Structure formats: C-alpha cells, structure tokens
Amino acid sequence: QVRLVESGGGLVQAGGSLRLSCAASGGTFSSYGMNWFRQASGKERKFVAAISYSGASIYIEDSVKGRFTISRDNAKNTVYLQMNNLKPEDTAVYYCAVSLRRWGPSGEYDFWGQGTQVTVSS
C-alpha cells in the first residue's frame, strides 16, 4: 500500500506560479512512475504530466506544455509539479497517482492522493 499526500495548492492570480508536491510513503518510491492529474469542478479528471521512475523520461500534456514541469526527488520520496504562468482555466483539484507498471496518459494508476486545490483568479 502506497500513501500519497499532495500539498502546495492555493489561491494565486493569473500569471503567477505554484509548486505542488506529492510525498509518498509505504513503498519503494524510486521504482514507481508518477503522474499528475487535475479535475475541475463538474468535469472529468484529466491527465496533466508524468515522470518515469528514474526521472529520465517525462510526459507533459499539450495544454500545459511550456508552463508546467514535473520532477522528482527519489531521496525525498517526492514528486513535484511546477506550474508557471497560471491561467484561470488551470483551476482544479490536482491529484498525484502512482504507476507500478505503466505510467503516462495511457497508464495504469494504482494509488491516488487526496488532492490539493489550485484556484487561479483573473
């Protein structure tokens, strides 16, 4: 069982930045792919970004490419989502998820965090 705890969300003005963190416990973090998703109110959860177990490979969804980056620190069992130039349409609850096998937009997601709210005001 892997436990994930997201943090770093909040209220920010358009054009601002936030860094989300997702701390993992209860497993071998350095062997997992990690993913970020978001879910706006009343909408489906959508894939945002993913990173391989080593951090050597990443995938960023097109709508946030150039503004968001994903990284990880295996020594701290933490994955990050750096979000720059935020827009009101980025407002959502952001979730991290573990992939024990296949990570990325068509991956398998085995464990989820509880989410952290990001609100971008115009």
Side-chain angles (χ1 to χ4, degrees), residues 80-106:
Y80 304 99
L81 186 68
Q82 178 66 46
M83 306 185 296
N84 300 326
N85 190 22
L86 282 161
K87 304 176 181 181
E89 52 264 41
D90 295 317
T91 295
V93 178
Y94 284 72
Y95 299 89
C96 62
V98 165
S99 293
L100 301 180
R101 292 167 290 275
R102 189 170 69 249
W103 57 277
S106 301

Side-chain angles (χ1 to χ4, degrees), residues 32-35 37 47 50 97-112:
Y32 308 147
M34 294 296 298
N35 311 269
F37 288 77
F47 173 85
V98 165
S99 293
L100 301 180
R101 292 167 290 275
R102 189 170 69 249
W103 57 277
S106 301
E108 300 172 352
Y109 314 110
D110 300 281
F111 302 98
W112 293 82

Side-chain angles (χ1 to χ4, degrees), residues 5-21:
V5 179
E6 299 97 334
S7 60
L11 174 63
V12 64
Q13 289 187 334
S17 298
L18 284 174
R19 189 177 79 157
L20 306 183
S21 300

Side-chain angles (χ1 to χ4, degrees), residues 5-122:
V5 179
E6 299 97 334
S7 60
L11 174 63
V12 64
Q13 289 187 334
S17 298
L18 284 174
R19 189 177 79 157
L20 306 183
S21 300
C22 171
S25 61
T28 307
F29 182 76
S30 59
S31 66
Y32 308 147
M34 294 296 298
N35 311 269
W36 284 100
F37 288 77
R38 65 185 180 184
Q39 186 169 19
S41 181
K43 296 188 177 181
E44 293 184 351
R45 189 174 299 187
K46 292 187 176 181
F47 173 85
V48 176
I51 189 166
S52 65
Y53 68 96
S54 67
S57 298
I58 65 170
Y59 188 103
I60 307 291
E61 194 270 334
D62 284 346
S63 68
V64 301
K65 196 172 291 183
R67 300 189 297 121
F68 290 13
T69 59
I70 186 171
S71 61
R72 67 190 296 159
D73 185 338
N74 285 346
K76 296 182 178 180
N77 288 357
T78 301
V79 63
Y80 304 99
L81 186 68
Q82 178 66 46
M83 306 185 296
N84 300 326
N85 190 22
L86 282 161
K87 304 176 181 181
E89 52 264 41
D90 295 317
T91 295
V93 178
Y94 284 72
Y95 299 89
C96 62
V98 165
S99 293
L100 301 180
R101 292 167 290 275
R102 189 170 69 249
W103 57 277
S106 301
E108 300 172 352
Y109 314 110
D110 300 281
F111 302 98
W112 293 82
Q114 83 292 345
T116 186
Q117 176 71 47
V118 171
T119 303
V120 184
S121 62
S122 57

